[in-house]
Amino acid sequence: MTLETILPPERVLFDVPGGSKKRVLEFFSTFIAQNIPSLDSQEVFSRLIGRERLGSTGIGNGVAIPHARSPHCTSPIAGFLKLSEAIDFDAIDGDPVDLVFVLLVPEEADDTHLSLLGQVATIMNDANTRQQLRKAGSQRELLELITAKIREQSST
C-alpha cells in the first residue's frame, strides 16, 4: 500500500481556508464524507479531534499529519491540504501549520497505518519538499509536486 494509491488528485486541495485547527478538521471531514458516502462527516471529525486530544499531530516545520481510525473506512484514505494561511495547530515546535496531510485508516489496519504515517513523515520532513509545496501556485502544480515526492520516496 503506497500513498499514491490512496491520494487521488481530487483529494489534493490547494488554498484551503484555515482559521483554526478545528475548522480545518471540520472542512476535511465534510469534504471526505461528500466524496466517500460510507463515511459520516461528524464521525470522521470526532475521530480526528479525539486523536488531537491525545497530542497534537503538528509535527513541526509548518506540517501537521492528523490521522485516525474509522470503523466505516474500508481501506486507507489520504488527503493533502495546502492552507491559504498558516494556523495554530499546537505543533511541537510552536510554529503555525500550512501543510496538512490527513490519513484515515480502517479500525484494524495497524501495520498499514504505521507504514503510511512513516511515508508521510519522511516526505514532509524534507525542507526542500516543504519549500516547493509552499511555492506551488495552483492545484495542478501542488498535485504534480506531491505525486513526484511520493514516487521518489516509494522508490527508495
Side-chain angles (χ1 to χ4, degrees), residues 21 26 34 49 67 69 79 95 106 111-112 118-119 130 137 145:
K21 179 196 307 199
E26 280 175 336
Q34 289 169 346
I49 250 348
H67 55 279
R69 297 175 188 279
D95 287 351
D111 293 343
T112 303
Q119 290 175 50
R130 291 190 308 270
L145 275 166

Side-chain angles (χ1 to χ4, degrees), residues 121-141:
T122 300
I123 292 165
M124 300 311 289
N125 276 331
D126 181 66
N128 185 40
T129 296
R130 291 190 308 270
Q131 183 180 17
Q132 288 178 324
L133 292 169
R134 288 188 173 111
K135 284 184 178 173
S138 68
Q139 193 275 339
R140 182 187 185 115
E141 194 179 339

Side-chain angles (χ1 to χ4, degrees), residues 54-86:
L54 298 174
S56 176
T57 57
I59 63 168
N61 298 305
V63 175
I65 310 174
H67 55 279
R69 297 175 188 279
S70 169
H72 305 292
C73 191
T74 54
S75 62
I77 296 166
F80 181 71
L81 295 75
K82 180 178 183 274
L83 304 181
S84 56
E85 73 277 342

Side-chain angles (χ1 to χ4, degrees), residues 25 48 51-52 57 64-68 89 100-104 117:
L25 296 178
L48 288 170
R51 171 56 189 85
E52 289 300 319
T57 57
I65 310 174
H67 55 279
F89 216 91
V100 181
F101 212 120
V102 188
L103 279 175
L104 293 175
L117 277 173

